[in-house]
Amino acid sequence: MTTATTGRTTATGAVGTAHTRVEGRDKVTGAARYAGEIPFTDLAHGWLVLSTVARGRILSVETAPVLAMPGVLTVLHHGNAPRLETDYVGMLGVPPDPTAAVFQHDRIPHAGWPVALVVAETPEQAREAAEALVVTYERQPHDIAFSAGRPDAYPADGHMPAVTEKGDLEAELAACAHVVDEEYTTPEEHHGMMEPHAATAYWDNGRLEVVDSNQSTTWVADELVKMFSLDPSAVRVRSEHVGGGFGSKGLRAHQVSAVMAAGALRRPVRVVLTRRQMFSLTGYRSPTAQRVRLGADAGGRLRALEHRSLNQTSTVWEFVEPSAGAARTMYDADAHRTVNEVVRLDVPSPAWMRAPGEAPGSFALESALDELAEKCGLDPVELRLRNDPERSPVSGLPFAGRNLAACFREGARRFGWADRDPRPGLRRDGRWLLGTGTAAASFPAGALPSTAAVTAEADGTFTVRIAAADIGTGARTALTLVAADALGVPPGRVRVLIGDSDFGPAGLAGGSMGTRSWAWAVTAAAGELRDRLVPGAAVPPEGITVRSDTTAALGALAHTERHSFGAQFAEVAVDVTTGEVRVRRMLGIFAAGRIVNPLTARGQLVGGMIWGISMALHEEAVRDHVSGGHYGADLAGYHVATHADVPAVEADWVDDPDPDDPVGIKGVGEIGVVGAAAAIANAVWHATGIRHRNLPIRPDRVLRADGGPRTGGPGA
């Protein structure tokens, strides 16, 4: 059973009260249709063909036999596809991943590269023809070997500077009473959302319409405009219901190939990715190799901190998993150095995945903090409290609220931390060794410029239109509550329409910025509309509409460090005979701004913590060095946590409204993942006396652990 409690703030309006999802009935009855389910007249179906070699060139695509098969309409490939524009900067400030710009050349940079699209009258015909298409390649040697210490690794900025440093690191380390110098690794991980990527494209009176499953209709529409050199008014993207995104649902090969085919056939074309194709085409979290060096004085105060992280990227696109960024927020030291590096390999491009950087980075950093606490003879919670900075360690800016200490104190009280014997390997329950662990969590609280329109209808109701995306987070419901309070009416009088690029630009559902960005825009429009309405006066039949734009308001914000924080606690049981690790209970206490809807916020936080269980014990995508492709590229071979792995997970929060936000929001979508894997790994050490610095903590690694001194031999 999964349980949680709500925070203790007394709600005076709709915001802060538990509210079931406004679209919940539609989803459980099937009335809510997802991108791959919406019917279209004269719909054709596309099936992508992916390369079977990891590096090389296409020598030939034998289309004639396939075009003669029943129902086949066309085959698109590099020899006949329209040319695309790829020299531009996208909405997120980065150039597009060339994997999405399909069929532009004959080069193969990784296994699973899209080489053709077969379009037919039915999906069965398209699949049969795609599997029959013969593509001949010139094979070239490939390199997919990721490891620490590669000589071709180099620092890369990504969306933050590659390197930050201050002080003399080596001198401070030499002067420290206690030093930790260890390496930690995390494997390749995949998003694995329930709903596969799907898009339908068609042309309507000279306008491109795309019905999609994405995390931002604004983002996808903007990319299509630039890639196909279209007028912005000539593209509309809709995405009403999304069955999970986690960072992967931006512009991908399926939307672009569907648009190409719709243009060639002048009829609607739908492309749906298979689960196996998603492992190659929709991004993933790169494996990381991280080195953490910590030095502390006799009292446990940090004097030296170095966090270096290496991740892989493709040869066609540079993506940085900024794991070293975790240290830039959490802990200060007199000498402080962080570095993010990448190495280019013949692999698909990594991408954003829930808590990018922070999830793997917190595993390394918070594991190292636990090792330092052991060396210092300090309680792990106490060590973190002694090193809780008042200002940002790198920028030097003040925090717009940093309630990490409150999270740890409340969490320790409720978890029963004071009764913990710090010595490892002593507690037993039959054949199980028991242990507890903790870790800190943080995630940035950002906001993106957004527009919203709120209309007072003649019947006394209100309609909100905003290009938001509800990717399962409950954003539609949260915005209903925000709008109701801003208008001073019950939520039942508010209807929120989302997922349409025609509603005007809005921020994406990602980076825990969605609800904060959209709520700001909705509050501004609703507040102005409320001021304009005359009590007792009739609203005209066409209604009264007010539109907002938060660009100026966000630009005027004071320069501070804005983050959500949290404290994770875990209890595990380890069977040293079988190597099995079971999480018995978890508690997360978070300072994540004002909680709009306790019901869905709890779901987000608990879901993130369960992801941490999955990250710590199960998730690991493995590549075949011969083919360059995956072993078990499906949800049978790629293991994730299930109900049987999650007996008791509890999430709660402390009061932590952001004073600069009109609703007080920070964000809850990603912080639940952060620190969870480290808390579990630290608990495994407490149970066994063996450190596991390589995820996941598989049974074979538990059995192969050296069983040496309880100061901690490395995991296998």
Side-chain angles (χ1 to χ4, degrees):
M1 180 180 68
T2 300
T3 60
T5 60
T6 62
R8 289 159 295 284
T9 300
T10 302
T12 57
V15 170
T17 60
H19 200 293
T20 58
R21 295 173 187 261
V22 296
E23 81 286 7
R25 180 178 292 273
D26 287 345
K27 285 184 173 178
V28 299
T29 60
R33 285 181 166 172
Y34 291 80
E37 303 173 322
I38 300 171
F40 288 90
T41 302
D42 201 28
L43 178 65
H45 299 267
W47 202 277
L48 282 165
V49 179
L50 308 186
S51 71
T52 57
V53 303
R55 189 164 179 260
R57 288 187 176 274
I58 302 170
L59 296 179
S60 66
V61 182
E62 299 178 25
T63 60
V66 167
L67 290 169
M69 294 178 69
V72 175
L73 300 170
T74 190
V75 179
L76 295 176
H77 55 88
H78 72 279
N80 62 6
R83 299 301 94 183
L84 301 175
E85 176 60 55
T86 58
D87 186 17
Y88 66 86
V89 175
M91 174 183 171
L92 299 179
V94 295
D97 180 352
T99 309
V102 292
F103 320 140
Q104 298 300 290
H105 52 75
D106 64 355
R107 299 186 302 278
I108 303 296
H110 61 74
W113 178 264
V115 298
L117 179 78
V118 177
V119 187
E121 296 288 354
T122 70
E124 294 81 8
Q125 291 171 334
R127 179 172 188 168
E128 182 180 9
E131 291 175 349
L133 183 67
V134 175
V135 181
T136 305
Y137 304 95
E138 172 195 308
R139 292 177 178 267
Q140 299 172 354
H142 64 268
D143 179 7
I144 66 165
F146 176 76
S147 64
R150 284 195 58 129
D152 49 348
Y154 61 93
D157 288 342
H159 66 274
M160 62 175 64
V163 180
T164 66
E165 56 185 332
K166 66 179 181 181
D168 189 331
L169 187 72
E170 300 302 331
E172 289 292 346
L173 283 169
C176 286
H178 306 288
V179 173
V180 170
D181 183 352
E182 298 293 349
E183 293 187 354
Y184 306 84
T185 68
T186 60
E188 180 178 324
E189 300 168 351
H190 285 258
H191 303 82
M193 71 294 298
M194 291 296 291
E195 181 204 18
H197 295 61
T200 303
Y202 62 99
W203 290 86
D204 184 12
N205 294 321
R207 194 179 197 211
L208 174 63
E209 300 264 355
V210 177
V211 177
D212 191 20
S213 175
N214 63 54
Q215 294 179 232
S216 169
T217 56
T218 299
W219 178 15
V220 173
D222 181 68
E223 296 266 339
L224 291 173
V225 162
K226 293 172 179 175
M227 192 170 282
F228 285 89
S229 301
L230 299 171
D231 188 274
S233 64
V235 177
R236 182 189 187 191
V237 176
R238 287 176 288 158
S239 178
E240 185 177 2
H241 298 290
V242 182
F246 308 121
S248 79
K249 285 187 174 174
L251 188 73
R252 300 292 181 189
H254 65 290
Q255 298 119 315
V256 177
S257 60
V259 171
M260 285 182 171
L265 298 174
R266 289 294 157 177
R267 60 187 284 189
V269 176
R270 173 173 294 158
V271 179
V272 181
L273 298 184
T274 68
R275 183 69 61 182
R276 184 170 291 273
Q277 289 174 338
M278 289 164 60
F279 273 75
S280 298
L281 295 178
T282 62
Y284 58 94
R285 197 192 308 280
S286 167
T288 70
Q290 303 177 57
R291 183 184 182 189
V292 179
R293 293 199 291 171
L294 303 176
D297 62 21
R301 187 182 72 84
L302 283 169
R303 294 182 56 178
L305 184 156
E306 182 182 41
H307 191 172
R308 303 179 65 96
S309 178
L310 172 68
N311 73 266
Q312 71 184 24
T313 190
S314 70
T315 60
V316 297
W317 197 55
E318 183 181 270
F319 181 85
V320 181
E321 179 77 24
S323 301
R328 299 178 186 181
T329 300
M330 289 307 303
Y331 306 109
D332 202 358
D334 300 316
H336 196 285
R337 176 177 170 82
T338 64
V339 183
N340 288 310
E341 296 181 310
V342 300
V343 59
R344 291 182 179 269
L345 300 175
D346 300 315
V347 295
S349 301
W352 291 279
M353 182 167 159
R354 197 175 191 182
E358 277 82 1
S362 65
F363 164 67
L365 181 63
E366 293 297 316
S367 295
L369 257 291
D370 209 66
E371 299 199 46
L372 182 64
E374 183 191 1
K375 286 178 177 289
C376 293
L378 288 174
D379 179 86
V381 170
E382 177 60 27
L383 177 69
R384 287 166 172 84
L385 293 178
R386 290 187 186 187
N387 288 283
D388 190 21
E390 296 182 358
R391 303 179 76 86
S392 171
V394 173
S395 71
L397 293 172
F399 290 100
R402 183 184 170 103
N403 288 331
L404 179 63
C407 294
F408 267 114
R409 292 189 177 105
E410 176 65 9
R413 181 188 67 81
R414 290 177 46 176
F415 194 75
W417 189 262
D419 298 329
R420 178 184 191 258
D421 187 327
R423 296 172 297 171
L426 297 182
R427 293 178 60 205
R428 185 179 287 272
D429 179 8
R431 73 179 194 272
W432 301 92
L433 292 173
L434 305 182
T436 53
T438 189
S442 73
F443 197 81
L448 294 171
S450 298
T451 63
V454 181
T455 300
E457 308 288 0
D459 63 359
T461 64
F462 297 85
T463 302
V464 176
R465 292 176 175 85
I466 184 167
D470 192 331
I471 59 176
T473 56
R476 185 187 274 102
T477 306
L479 294 178
T480 300
L481 305 183
V482 167
D485 277 6
L487 292 164
V489 300
R493 288 175 59 187
V494 177
R495 180 176 64 149
V496 175
L497 303 178
I498 65 172
D500 190 332
S501 63
D502 274 2
F503 293 162
L508 80 160
S512 289
M513 296 184 289
T515 300
R516 176 179 164 99
S517 302
W518 307 322
W520 199 314
V522 168
T523 299
E528 183 179 342
L529 176 62
R530 184 178 182 180
D531 291 341
R532 286 176 55 179
L533 294 177
V534 178
V539 175
E542 69 275 13
I544 300 173
T545 299
V546 169
R547 172 169 287 278
S548 66
D549 185 337
T550 63
T551 303
L554 292 177
L557 278 174
H559 291 291
T560 60
E561 289 274 354
R562 289 181 171 80
H563 300 264
S564 293
F565 292 94
Q568 304 269 17
F569 295 84
E571 179 179 8
V572 303
V574 182
D575 186 331
V576 294
T577 302
T578 66
E580 181 181 4
V581 178
R582 287 282 183 177
V583 175
R584 290 197 166 184
R585 62 187 176 109
M586 287 190 75
L587 170 67
I589 302 293
F590 301 95
R594 189 180 181 195
I595 302 302
V596 177
N597 184 357
L599 190 63
T600 52
R602 163 197 172 273
Q604 285 296 292
L605 294 169
V606 168
M609 294 167 68
I610 293 171
W611 196 325
I613 296 174
S614 206
M615 178 182 178
L617 304 181
H618 303 291
E619 294 193 46
E620 182 180 26
V622 180
R623 292 187 178 274
D624 175 13
H625 283 263
V626 175
S627 70
H630 285 110
Y631 295 107
D634 51 47
L635 292 184
Y638 181 78
H639 295 167
V640 297
T642 64
H643 286 299
D645 298 301
V646 187
V649 177
E650 185 178 0
D652 204 349
W653 43 83
V654 298
D655 289 339
D656 184 52
D658 185 339
D660 295 324
D661 183 275
V663 185
I665 297 170
K666 286 185 177 178
V668 300
E670 315 203 40
I671 192 169
V673 187
V674 183
I680 293 168
N682 292 338
V684 170
W685 168 80
H686 187 231
T688 65
I690 304 299
R691 292 284 179 189
H692 288 268
R693 303 185 181 97
N694 307 280
L695 295 184
I697 307 173
R698 302 188 314 250
D700 63 304
R701 287 177 168 167
V702 173
L703 294 176
R704 291 203 315 267
D706 64 8
R710 291 198 168 155
T711 50

